[in-house]
Amino acid sequence: MKIKIYNTLTKQKENFETIEPQKVRMYVCGPTVYDSCHVGHARSVVVFDVIVRFLRSQGFEVIYVRNFTDIDDKIINRANELGISATELAEKYIHEFYEDMDSLNVERATMEPRATGYIREIIGVIQLLIGKNMAYPVDGDVYFSVESYPDYGKLSRRILEDMEAGARVAVDERKKNPYDFALWKTAKPGEPSWDSPWGKGRPGWHIECTAMSSGLLGETIDIHGGGKDLVFPHHENEIAQSEAAFGKQFVKYWVHNGFVNINQEKMSKSLGNFLLIRDILKAYHPEIVRLFLLSNHYRSPIDFNEKAMEEASGALDRVYTFLERVDRKFGIPSETKLSSHGELWRQFCEAMGDDFNTAQGLGILFSTVRDLNRMLDASGDQVSDQIALSVRNGYSDVLSIGSILGIFRQSPQSYFDQKRRAGLRKESIDPGWIEVKIRERTQARAAKNWAEADRIRDELLELNIILEDRSEGTVWKYND
RNA sequence: GGCGGCAUAGCCAAGUGGUAAGGCAGCGGUCUGCAAAACCGCUAUUCACCAGUUCGAAUCUGGUUGCCGCCUCCA
């Protein structure tokens, strides 16, 4: 099928054509590991996780590289504050990153290189640039000369002369142009450093991505992704140094995800409204977080707030309730045939093929779930073969969609069990007590003592416990 | 000052030339002892505003207003 991708470089949706047929080389900027991950990181990582899963489902072989920037000023400063080495600090946060992303059911990238593992390659690129007279060493530092690269500014659509007017740039007399950026920084005493032709030092911020991307994927790749905030200066500088060094196009499609706001406010350290993934996961099931993150188009901003999370939670429940219903009706399919796809899957892929429109895809999913519920309602106990087939196909497609979005991966039983357990913890109640209450109510109902039955139900409702009287008995759910 | 984005029902949110997906909330109904879940019906003649292009515009063009982001580390 045809896939369209919005390309930041051309500012329009383009037909996705890979360099090599059915093969995608993709690089996404990973975190600088000096602190815990917040929801913003989660959005970026989850969005690209879904993009990779979708491309693979469409038959592409995707070589996906997501790096760790494990050496930079922030890491050094933070390590000094804590009195530990930069390496120790980086290790700690790489470990945390994996914990958080594993919780969110993010698949590992094909390769996850670290900047410190590519020092030799970094030095090689810098030498190439100096050799072409597009970079210059000063006192052990090396700067890239933005004026030497005529296309500088093409990604963020900035013109050097215009930027200089009102810009807030620290003036460094040693730079030829204020926008020249460091490729290599000389080491101050006590800082981690590597030997280089310019003395002991470490890489500047942008160069590691050029070295790792070209080293692992080649000098021209299909997709390069990251958060919108990386467009300038990070990706602009990556393009400049890469294309200057290799003399060819660096990236075909630039993909950038939008921000996560918190209650309508930009998330920022100064406002103190940074929400860490690990904290959010204490309050919400990981699939709720994923569903929330995918409920808007990836390029639009998304607002994290309690109401939005409750809606995501309700939506997830809705689908799991459907899955549970089908399980009850037909038994749990021994093997889910994810290979035979129906109309729902086709429509979902069409939405995803249009610049990865997960919001539209979810709309299709929900309306299909309603259609299938309607069929089941209309059937009563006698489900025709034709309807059973439609429902089974729909069920299978829902799971296929889940495998792209990284949700619906639990059995409905374990999903609702997990919610029940979380509810018990939150309300500090004993499950045995609930069972006793339910038995009492069942007896009251049998005696047609409706007042008592309703009193018990209300008593449980106070604790967010909702009862459902099914034909096979009363079950309870926790309403978070 | 420069660059860019957004404005769709009470709320969230798709839709980029052919007559407004989906979710939540609300109201009415089916089912139920009553509920819950599920389903049905109702809820934007209209897409910030003004002008233009077109047989036809939420969608394209120009302008106005409002909000937001980037230009400093940032997903």
Side-chain angles (χ1 to χ4, degrees):
Chain A
M1 72 168 286
K2 281 243 191 308
I3 293 174
K4 284 186 182 166
I5 300 184
Y6 180 89
N7 188 351
T8 309
L9 191 62
T10 57
K11 275 181 64 188
Q12 55 193 15
K13 273 189 210 172
E14 296 176 1
N15 288 323
F16 181 54
E17 284 162 14
T18 53
I19 297 162
E20 208 179 309
Q22 292 305 100
K23 191 162 180 174
V24 177
R25 293 180 178 81
M26 173 163 163
Y27 185 99
V28 174
C29 289
T32 298
V33 279
Y34 74 104
D35 206 348
S36 300
C37 291
H38 56 249
V39 223
H41 294 107
R43 185 180 195 190
S44 180
V45 173
V46 166
V47 160
F48 288 104
D49 180 54
V50 168
I51 288 175
V52 170
R53 290 176 191 233
F54 175 67
L55 292 174
R56 287 189 175 139
S57 79
Q58 300 304 300
F60 289 99
E61 180 199 343
V62 183
I63 308 174
Y64 175 29
V65 175
R66 185 183 53 225
N67 72 288
F68 289 107
T69 295
D70 62 344
I71 183 67
D72 112 316
D73 290 357
K74 292 192 295 296
I75 294 175
I76 294 171
N77 293 341
R78 190 76 194 275
N80 286 152
E81 282 168 25
L82 297 171
I84 58 175
S85 72
T87 311
E88 280 176 288
L89 186 82
E91 283 302 331
K92 173 180 153 67
Y93 287 114
I94 287 173
H95 180 70
E96 269 201 13
F97 176 89
Y98 280 131
E99 278 182 353
D100 290 346
M101 296 311 166
D102 287 351
S103 303
L104 286 175
N105 185 28
V106 171
E107 287 179 355
R108 298 293 166 103
T110 318
M111 287 171 270
E112 304 184 331
R114 304 176 185 195
T116 54
Y118 281 76
I119 301 294
R120 189 183 315 158
E121 289 80 357
I122 288 170
I123 291 171
V125 177
I126 297 173
Q127 282 178 311
L128 214 51
L129 288 167
I130 293 175
K132 290 187 172 188
N133 221 3
M134 299 178 97
Y136 53 95
V138 187
D139 308 331
D141 292 341
V142 181
Y143 291 99
F144 181 85
S145 169
V146 291
E147 284 167 28
S148 73
Y149 178 67
D151 282 344
Y152 191 80
K154 71 177 174 184
L155 181 69
S156 55
R157 280 151 212 281
R158 279 151 219 260
I159 296 160
L160 280 173
E161 296 82 68
D162 292 348
M163 286 200 296
E164 288 171 42
R168 297 170 281 174
V169 180
V171 183
D172 185 334
E173 294 301 327
R174 303 174 310 160
K175 289 186 187 177
K176 292 181 185 168
N177 180 296
Y179 282 92
D180 286 356
F181 54 91
L183 298 169
W184 190 261
K185 292 181 166 190
T186 191
K188 296 189 193 109
E191 285 185 348
S193 64
W194 289 262
D195 287 323
S196 82
W198 318 284
K200 283 191 173 296
R202 63 189 148 86
W205 175 30
H206 319 289
I207 191 69
E208 84 280 18
C209 287
T210 289
M212 290 185 276
S213 177
S214 62
L216 290 167
L217 297 171
E219 292 168 2
T220 301
I221 67 169
D222 295 294
I223 297 176
H224 191 121
K228 258 194 169 98
D229 50 336
L230 295 179
V231 173
F232 190 90
H234 186 54
H235 289 160
E236 193 69 73
N237 290 353
E238 277 187 50
I239 293 179
Q241 71 203 176
S242 302
E243 300 194 348
F246 308 126
K248 57 182 77 156
Q249 184 177 24
F250 178 44
V251 172
K252 282 192 79 176
Y253 304 93
W254 284 92
V255 178
H256 294 99
N257 66 276
F259 291 110
V260 179
N261 293 134
I262 309 283
N263 295 315
Q264 317 272 32
E265 267 184 340
K266 178 186 151 78
M267 207 170 27
S268 78
K269 297 233 156 149
S270 52
L271 287 166
N273 61 349
F274 258 72
L275 280 183
L276 300 184
I277 294 172
R278 40 198 51 216
D279 290 334
I280 289 168
L281 289 175
K282 286 175 192 159
Y284 302 103
H285 189 286
E287 293 195 354
I288 295 175
V289 179
R290 273 189 84 110
L291 188 61
F292 160 72
L293 291 172
L294 298 170
S295 61
N296 277 26
H297 185 92
Y298 75 90
R299 283 189 279 117
S300 307
I302 189 169
D303 192 54
F304 186 100
N305 57 68
E306 205 172 311
K307 185 161 178 281
M309 295 309 284
E310 278 166 16
E311 287 189 8
S313 171
L316 192 65
D317 278 5
R318 188 172 161 72
V319 178
Y320 269 117
T321 301
F322 164 75
L323 295 174
E324 186 187 41
R325 183 180 189 184
V326 176
D327 283 355
R328 276 210 315 276
K329 196 115 193 160
F330 299 102
I332 300 158
S334 53
E335 55 187 77
T336 315
K337 296 189 213 94
L338 294 180
S339 49
S340 61
H341 291 308
E343 182 62 12
L344 170 58
W345 172 254
R346 196 193 61 70
Q347 287 182 22
F348 176 80
C349 289
E350 204 172 303
M352 287 297 290
D354 185 8
D355 198 27
F356 314 113
N357 196 334
T358 52
Q360 189 179 37
L362 287 170
I364 292 161
L365 171 70
F366 289 121
S367 81
T368 303
V369 166
R370 195 188 52 212
D371 291 345
L372 295 170
N373 270 323
R374 183 197 298 133
M375 284 187 216
L376 289 170
D377 276 4
S379 301
D381 294 333
Q382 294 295 314
V383 181
S384 70
D385 288 351
Q386 196 185 344
I387 286 185
L389 185 68
S390 297
V391 172
R392 280 173 186 282
N393 283 344
Y395 181 101
S396 160
D397 280 356
V398 168
L399 292 185
S400 299
I401 289 170
S403 74
I404 302 300
L405 302 180
I407 52 181
F408 316 140
R409 60 199 295 266
Q410 286 180 273
S411 71
Q413 287 73 15
S414 81
Y415 171 76
F416 288 116
D417 268 347
Q418 194 174 331
K419 288 189 75 148
R420 275 189 281 267
R421 281 198 301 276
L424 293 172
R425 269 200 306 279
K426 208 140 106 193
E427 311 287 345
S428 313
I429 34 183
D430 176 56
W433 177 80
I434 296 175
E435 294 306 327
V436 169
K437 285 289 166 189
I438 288 176
R439 263 202 301 280
E440 285 174 13
R441 178 166 169 277
T442 303
Q443 284 166 8
R445 290 181 70 217
K448 297 201 189 296
N449 184 354
W450 308 127
E452 173 64 4
D454 292 350
R455 190 196 60 74
I456 294 170
R457 187 172 58 203
D458 290 344
E459 185 185 351
L460 292 171
L461 189 61
E462 286 290 304
L463 299 163
N464 292 316
I465 288 158
I466 295 171
L467 299 185
E468 282 183 37
D469 296 325
R470 296 181 184 165
S471 53
E472 67 273 17
T474 300
V475 298
W476 66 276
K477 285 186 173 167
Y478 184 71
N479 178 35
D480 52 10

